[in-house]
Structure formats: structure tokens, C-alpha cells
Amino acid sequence: MAHPPILCFVIQILLFICFATAYSTLSEESLRALPGPGDDFNIKTGKLLSPILQPRVPGTPGSIAVRNHFIDFFKTTLPEWKIDLQNSTSKTPATGDREIPFVNVIFSRDPPWTTPGYSSRLTLAAHYDSLSIPEGFIGATDSAAPCAILMHTARSIDAALTAKWDKMKADGKGSEFEDQQGVQIFFLDGEEAFQTWTATDSVYGARSLAAEMESTAFAAQSTFHNALSTISLFVLLDLLGAKNPVVPSYFQTTHWAYKKMASLEKRLRSLTLFESSPKKALPKKPSSKKAPSKKARSKEAASKKASSKRSSKRDDKVFLPDFDKTGDRWLGGMIGDDHIPFMERGVEVLHIIPTPFPRVWHNREDDGAHLDLPTVADWSKLMTAFTAEWMELEGFINVKQTSSRYSRDHESQDSGQIIDKSELT
């Protein structure tokens, strides 16, 4: 028996109120304790990122290898997460009558007392396929790095989820609506067009998954009427890993969530926890020289003021600049991506994709050597912080764990011209 439309609407309103008001801010101590990726993002030997840095065209050995990399990581490192594969096939303009397989990989973790249909899920997503042309295309920003960022996020919150839910069980909690909150990660296949980006030659995996989730009904007495309605927020990462990204707030309905993430970025930067931020000058040692004259002190003060202004301008290169955005300047729908099939079915979307796109977009230079690793590390820390706040993990982060830094062995390129992802040619 299907839920009546009015009940579905009420559930959506309750979800919005619940997550907009119950969102729990992390303390400074917890922010400092968030782990960094360390060497796991090394482009040659990093156990998270390096296995993804290969061509991953759907149906090819590279796609299978990367998919197995995800599965092996969760099986061995995060065994509490449930693993699902969602399969589909489709003809493409480039392959004629030959059916191409698309496999979405889904990892989820819910409170241990919940049953299907009763738990909402924060949904983090990225596509793992790569372009078929040019041959050998890697797609480091598009979207190997976002996939590695989500793997790091899952690993970083796992122990805190266990600690929180164990405490809730010990305290006899878990029966309230807001206690039924899990998290899932989608690694989506077939985002890229095989020929020219159209509604039918793109987002193959996302279209199949959204349709299947919509048709997967739960029992009539369940809180949610189908699998799609359990998505409390769909956070899609794409084209991340180039230096100095600028990510606008695309949708007015999820601007409040964008502001939460932007606020976290500001806090992490103020605590000097971002690798890509300009380094603060070390305090000078006291000088044994004779005290400068009044004129010299005045000149030095003016010089410091000018230097401070220049430094402030450098510090202003934040990832998420639209905290105070108002009015009708919303770009939602401008960029075609994996969120479209979900958004068309009423799912709320937070799209984390830079505008302008990285300079290396859809060319051979989008490889590991052109990633800006400090930026990738910062995105991983920001996504971990956002997810931890959404899942209300304050007090459960391992305060003894410290973030690690990696060697900066290469530089990357800045972003280039604005290109709409729906205009692939």
C-alpha cells in the first residue's frame, strides 16, 4: 500500500525541520582531532587514491579494478558498512546495439536498531567512471579524487558512529524520529557521455539507481514510503582537486546546508588546519639592535599594514564563497551531473562542483600529477567535518587522533574557463 501524497509531504517537512535544527556543531577540540589523509592520497603509492588513478570506462578492466578497490577497502577496513551493487545495462551512441554494463556501488551504515524504511540517510556521492575519449584519460579531478575523499570520510567517522550508537543503546535511546539517521555513499557509474552529453547519453548509473530506489517500496507502516525518500540530503562531489576552487551555492532550498559547510571551512582555516591556506609567518626573534627611530617605526608599521592587506586577500580564496548569498542568483540546473535524476524526483541536493571548472577538465592533463594535494586533503577534512556534524558526532571524535601532513612533491594548475558540464562535446 502506497503512502498518500499528504503523508509524504509531511515526512519531507519533518525531515527538513529535523536536520536544519538538530545539526550539531563540532567543538574546536573535535575539529583539531579530525584525521587527515596522510600518505593515503599519494598519487603513486597512496592506498586510497592511487588505485583509482587509471582509466575507468564502464565495462572495462579498469572499471572493475577500481570497483573492487572500493569493495576491498570497505570489507577490510570498515566491516560494519553494508555493501550493495546496483546493476544495469544500456546501449550507447558510441557502441551501437552492444549493451554496456553499469555498476553502482553503495556503502551504507545505519543505527543498529533500525530496520529498512525507518532510517533516513545522509547521502554522499561521486562518479567513478572516466571518459572513453581521449584514450587513456584518467580523470583525477573527474572524479578519482572525490571518490578518495569519500573513502577517507567514511573511515574517519566510523569509530565515532560506533561510539555514539553504543552509548545511545546503553542509555536506552533510539526510539525517536531523529535517532533513525544513517549515512550512505554512492560510487556512481556511467556519468560521462560516450559521445555527446544529452539526457540519454549521460548519468547512466544515476538514472538507473534513482528509478530503482523510487520503485523500491517499504511496508505501509514504515516512516519512509520508498528507498528514495530516505535520502535526507544528496551531497554530490565532482571536479575537485585543482587549486583555488570556487564552489557556488547552486540551490536556494539547500543553501542552509551550504552555509553549514562554508562555516566549517572558515573555522578550519582560522585554526590553520587547511593545508592549502597561505602559511602564517613565524614570529621574529627579539633583536639586539638599537631601537629604530620614530620615522623608521612608522614606515615599518605602514609596510606591515600593506603586507597584512595582501595576506588577507590571499586568505580570502575560500572554496565556498557564497555564505551571504541572497536573492535569485541561483545556478541550480545549469550543470548536468549525477544529481539530476534524484532532483527530478524531489531529492534535496547540495552540489559541490567548482565554477569555473578546472583548467584540465576533459583533457589528458587531468591526471594525478596535476592534482593539488593540499586542496584534496582540505576537501577530505571539510567533508569529514560536515558529515560528523550532520551525524551529530560531537563528543565521539577520537581527540587523541591527529591529522597528518604529506610531502608536497608537486604543484597543480589553477581553474580555467567556465564550462557547463551539460555541454560536453
Side-chain angles (χ1 to χ4, degrees):
M1 173 177 152
H3 286 287
I6 186 64
L7 180 56
C8 297
F9 176 75
V10 169
I11 290 174
Q12 288 177 338
I13 293 297
L14 285 174
L15 273 175
F16 178 82
I17 294 173
C18 173
F19 295 116
T21 57
Y23 188 99
S24 177
T25 302
L26 291 182
S27 65
E28 179 180 320
E29 185 180 30
S30 291
L31 288 178
R32 292 188 181 279
L34 294 176
D39 291 331
D40 288 343
F41 284 1
N42 184 289
I43 63 172
K44 294 181 179 179
T45 60
K47 69 177 184 179
L48 295 188
L49 179 58
S50 63
I52 315 175
L53 294 174
Q54 61 178 301
R56 308 175 300 280
V57 178
T60 65
S63 174
I64 296 170
V66 171
R67 184 163 64 247
N68 287 337
H69 167 56
F70 298 148
I71 294 170
D72 291 343
F73 171 78
F74 276 84
K75 277 186 175 180
T76 58
T77 307
L78 305 171
E80 297 298 323
W81 291 65
K82 184 174 181 287
I83 303 174
D84 291 293
L85 302 180
Q86 191 269 337
N87 298 275
S88 64
T89 61
S90 178
K91 297 180 176 67
T92 78
T95 56
D97 291 333
R98 181 163 60 93
E99 295 276 346
I100 300 298
F102 299 97
V103 184
N104 298 313
V105 192
I106 302 165
F107 302 98
S108 59
R109 190 162 184 207
D110 297 317
W113 53 80
T114 61
T115 55
Y118 288 90
S119 177
S120 66
R121 287 173 175 171
L122 170 65
T123 301
L124 311 176
H127 75 88
Y128 72 94
D129 63 301
S130 61
L131 279 173
S132 56
I133 300 174
E135 186 177 354
F137 177 79
I138 298 296
T141 67
D142 192 13
S143 271
C147 289
I149 289 166
L150 294 185
M151 295 172 76
H152 172 79
T153 298
R155 180 180 61 184
S156 300
I157 65 167
D158 187 63
L161 286 175
T162 299
K164 175 187 174 180
W165 290 337
D166 284 351
K167 186 176 188 304
M168 290 176 70
K169 283 196 298 182
D171 294 344
K173 297 180 179 179
S175 60
E176 300 299 324
F177 177 76
E178 59 269 21
D179 297 335
Q180 318 299 318
Q181 183 179 179
V183 59
Q184 63 187 352
I185 292 175
F186 292 171
F187 292 123
L188 299 168
D189 200 3
E191 187 267 352
E192 301 287 7
F194 280 78
Q195 197 169 79
T196 301
W197 184 283
T198 65
T200 55
D201 186 18
S202 65
V203 298
Y204 291 88
R207 284 188 281 126
S208 175
L209 180 59
E212 183 172 303
M213 292 182 72
E214 185 178 39
S215 65
T216 303
F218 294 131
Q221 67 272 20
S222 302
T223 305
F224 302 96
H225 64 290
N226 62 24
L228 194 75
S229 64
T230 65
I231 298 177
S232 52
L233 182 68
F234 188 91
V235 185
L236 177 61
L237 277 59
D238 202 355
L239 300 183
L240 301 181
K243 192 175 183 179
N244 296 329
V246 176
V247 176
S249 180
Y250 292 98
F251 301 103
Q252 189 171 13
T253 56
T254 56
H255 184 56
W256 69 273
Y258 178 98
K259 291 176 69 173
K260 295 290 188 183
M261 190 179 290
S263 178
L264 275 168
E265 181 191 0
K266 183 178 180 181
R267 294 182 64 205
L268 288 165
R269 286 185 185 277
S270 69
L271 294 171
T272 64
L273 297 176
F274 258 26
E275 302 287 351
S276 62
S277 293
K279 298 307 169 191
K280 308 299 181 184
L282 295 174
K284 294 182 178 180
K285 294 181 180 180
S287 175
S288 58
K289 295 181 180 180
K290 183 180 178 182
S293 66
K294 183 177 181 180
K295 182 178 180 179
R297 289 197 304 270
S298 177
K299 185 176 181 180
E300 182 181 4
S303 176
K304 286 183 177 180
K305 185 176 181 181
S307 176
S308 177
K309 286 183 178 180
R310 290 193 297 270
S311 177
S312 177
K313 288 180 180 179
R314 290 196 301 270
D315 288 344
D316 285 341
K317 289 185 178 180
V318 296
F319 297 169
L320 305 166
D322 283 356
F323 184 90
D324 296 320
K325 186 173 185 176
T326 58
D328 57 358
R329 300 177 298 108
W330 306 96
L331 302 176
M334 172 185 130
I335 299 177
D337 209 343
D338 280 317
H339 65 292
I340 297 295
F342 295 89
M343 186 175 67
E344 290 175 343
R345 292 168 168 82
V347 174
E348 294 288 359
V349 172
L350 180 61
H351 200 187
I352 306 299
I353 185 171
T355 299
F357 288 177
R359 183 193 62 78
V360 297
W361 178 67
H362 280 193
N363 68 59
R364 292 182 184 276
E365 289 187 330
D366 190 5
D367 55 19
H370 287 84
L371 285 173
D372 186 66
L373 288 186
T375 298
V376 179
D378 291 344
W379 277 118
S380 71
K381 185 160 288 188
L382 181 57
M383 282 305 303
T384 298
F386 178 82
T387 306
E389 286 201 339
W390 186 281
M391 298 302 295
E392 299 186 291
L393 298 181
E394 173 57 29
F396 300 99
I397 304 293
N398 181 5
V399 296
K400 293 182 179 179
Q401 196 171 22
T402 57
S403 62
S404 56
R405 301 170 70 97
Y406 53 85
S407 60
R408 304 173 184 226
D409 53 1
H410 68 286
E411 295 295 330
S412 73
Q413 304 294 329
D414 291 343
S415 297
Q417 64 187 59
I418 297 178
I419 307 174
D420 190 314
K421 202 165 188 182
S422 64
E423 296 177 353
L424 298 179
T425 57

